[in-house]
Amino acid sequence: MNDLDATICELLDTLIEREGGYVNHPADRGGPTCFGITEAVARAHGYRGAMAALPRSEAEDIYLRLYWNRPRFDEVAKRSVRIAAELFDTGANMGPAVAATFLQRALTALNRNGKDFCDLVPDGRIGPRTLAALDGYLRTRGQGRGETVLLRALEALQGERYLRLAEKRPANEAFLYGWLANRIGEH
């Protein structure tokens, strides 16, 4: 097992532990979930059983395929495991495109008016331009402090979105404390 394989295994364990088992909260628009996987996502992935019986291995496969490989967070991890971990967790909670958009927005805002790398179109897809921008950012700002600042920007965007979700839909207030306590500053 290489370092990236070990990283995703650890991230999966942490995420599944945080998400817990079967939940069917009346205020959750996603309906029944198991290990954080919504019924709609499980069905689209081919799972036909009861959500309460979703095997952990099935949840891990869904996370790996839809929330790590497809959005190319594995490519981000080759550059920064810390940033990839944040994107993975945010993507599991808000959707991978939202997490990728946060990265694109933060990188563009941190590029010193295009001096370090080109602005990005926040399209929610990590491709060669986004990866090149991340490379440029890390080259200019460094792995240590640069990663920390980028993580703060990503978490600021995430926190603002949580607050907006609770403001727009009061039923989401049931989740706001947990979102802020368990999702911000964890990586």
Side-chain angles (χ1 to χ4, degrees), residues 95-157:
V98 172
T101 298
F102 287 171
L103 177 64
Q104 293 165 329
R105 289 177 59 202
L107 286 170
T108 295
L110 290 166
N111 74 357
R112 297 185 307 154
N113 296 313
K115 289 182 181 130
D116 297 330
F117 47 86
C118 294
D119 284 349
L120 297 169
V121 174
D123 62 6
R125 292 186 307 256
I126 293 178
R129 289 183 57 129
T130 300
L131 293 171
L134 179 58
D135 290 338
Y137 173 80
L138 293 172
R139 188 172 42 255
T140 302
R141 297 298 184 176
Q143 290 292 133
R145 183 89 170 131
E147 283 178 319
T148 298
V149 169
L150 184 53
L151 282 170
R152 287 178 182 164
L154 294 171
E155 290 175 346
L157 291 165

Side-chain angles (χ1 to χ4, degrees), residues 11-145:
L11 292 174
L12 284 167
D13 284 344
T14 300
L15 178 64
I16 287 175
E17 182 178 314
R18 179 183 301 126
E19 291 292 346
Y22 177 75
V23 177
N24 190 7
H25 194 288
D28 190 345
R29 284 186 173 170
T33 66
C34 192
F35 305 118
I37 301 293
T38 65
E39 186 169 22
V41 168
R43 300 289 181 243
H45 188 71
Y47 179 70
R48 299 291 168 238
M51 282 306 293
L54 179 74
R56 179 186 169 112
S57 60
E58 185 83 13
E60 290 173 351
D61 184 52
I62 291 169
Y63 278 126
L64 185 62
R65 185 161 101 17
L66 301 181
Y67 297 88
W68 183 252
N69 292 328
R70 183 180 288 173
R72 301 190 72 200
F73 297 155
D74 58 329
E75 290 297 320
V76 173
K78 292 175 184 174
R79 293 148 170 88
S80 168
V81 169
R82 292 171 64 200
I83 299 300
E86 177 63 29
L87 295 173
F88 177 67
D89 186 69
T90 301
N93 188 248
M94 296 182 170
V98 172
T101 298
F102 287 171
L103 177 64
Q104 293 165 329
R105 289 177 59 202
L107 286 170
T108 295
L110 290 166
N111 74 357
R112 297 185 307 154
N113 296 313
K115 289 182 181 130
D116 297 330
F117 47 86
C118 294
D119 284 349
L120 297 169
V121 174
D123 62 6
R125 292 186 307 256
I126 293 178
R129 289 183 57 129
T130 300
L131 293 171
L134 179 58
D135 290 338
Y137 173 80
L138 293 172
R139 188 172 42 255
T140 302
R141 297 298 184 176
Q143 290 292 133
R145 183 89 170 131

